[in-house]
Amino acid sequence: MKTSNLFFVIARLLTLLLLPAFAATTLAQSLNPEAVAFTKTYQTAYNKGDRPTLMTLFADNVGWVNPDGSVTPGSKADVEADYVRDFGETAGSYMDFTVVSTEAQPDGKVKIGTTVSGYDFVRKTGAKLNPTAGTYEMLIGKVGGQWKISQVKWKMNTVGLEIRDLVKRFQDAYNREEAATLKTMFTADAVRTATDSTTTKGAAIIDFYTQGFVDADVTNVVSLANVSPQFDGSVIFTGTYHLTGRSAKGERIVREGAYSNTAVKENGQWKISRNTQSKLVKAMVYHKVADYAAWKKGFDLFYNERMLAGELSAEVSMLADDPNTVCIISEWASPDAPKAFFARPDLAETMRKDGVIGKPTILIMSKK
């Protein structure tokens, strides 16, 4: 090897070895230090559940960037409502933000690009659940000498959208009686457990659907209630199904139930590996409230708590001649879930704060 070539090789190796450190140093130097410090303050307050501090970091008017690039105007109150949901009494959230870019704007504001990873957790046990990842972009500007967030672009991982698409495709294929298409949505070793606890495995699942299409002509409405990513890469998603139609003999069919599915990715596509069905349980609660609008706001803020307890859906109505008497009909996968939820010691106090008057009437119903 010639000496000149040897020097070239050594120089090339040194360049390759030093390049990552140089790139990291260059990136760190290019980031706005105030923006990085602001993000750190935000992360610390979020992970402490420190809502008062978080609210000092937002401008009075906040814009939310939609997937199509348009901006939906909002307020600090909207932001606080989100944090009330995130920092529930039984579950919390943790997020780790990494600043990857800061971009100065002509009007003096700074756009901060971050990557985010995190999870929810159960406060009582510390158990982690629902791992998530994505990006969080903030536009900050100075108000009274302090940096404030005026716009947010929040894009978490697309698992929820992908599972929603899987549910829609399943429903469409079922209603078109396309057994071959349904087959592509299950793993080869999938297990289906019916409401009577009987199991069907693998190819026999598609045989079950094929025979069902011969025996009846029904329409299936499948609703998605909750999507929970797991740390092993799988996803558990729950919801309800409602079947209506006629049997081959002309008999009317009306059937409904709950499902809990596990999905895994195979070659980039989500497929169902476990399908467990159960009878649908409905709970009806009615009570008087001091002010419907105030009560409804509190009810909506308790959404995450209700979903974590196992609620699949909820419909709110009021008496026609008394708008302050409300009735909530919710759906659950078992009678134990609503019983445990309505027996929670903190629920009575929460309802009192939301303006519920007197003791609510609670009925839990299931079909035989």
Side-chain angles (χ1 to χ4, degrees), residues 40 54 72 94 122 182 258 284:
K40 181 65 175 177
L54 283 169
T72 299
Y94 173 88
V122 180
L182 290 175
M284 183 173 72

Side-chain angles (χ1 to χ4, degrees), residues 186-200:
F186 287 87
T187 61
D189 60 350
V191 178
R192 178 183 184 274
T193 303
T195 54
D196 61 0
S197 298
T198 59
T199 59
T200 311

Side-chain angles (χ1 to χ4, degrees), residues 175-229:
N175 291 332
R176 290 195 299 264
E177 299 188 350
E178 296 177 353
T181 302
L182 290 175
K183 183 178 180 180
T184 67
M185 300 181 192
F186 287 87
T187 61
D189 60 350
V191 178
R192 178 183 184 274
T193 303
T195 54
D196 61 0
S197 298
T198 59
T199 59
T200 311
K201 300 180 180 180
I205 295 176
I206 306 306
D207 294 339
F208 168 83
Y209 287 123
T210 301
Q211 186 59 49
F213 296 149
V214 173
D215 294 339
D217 181 15
V218 297
T219 297
N220 192 4
V221 177
V222 186
S223 299
L224 179 64
N226 193 30
V227 178
S228 299

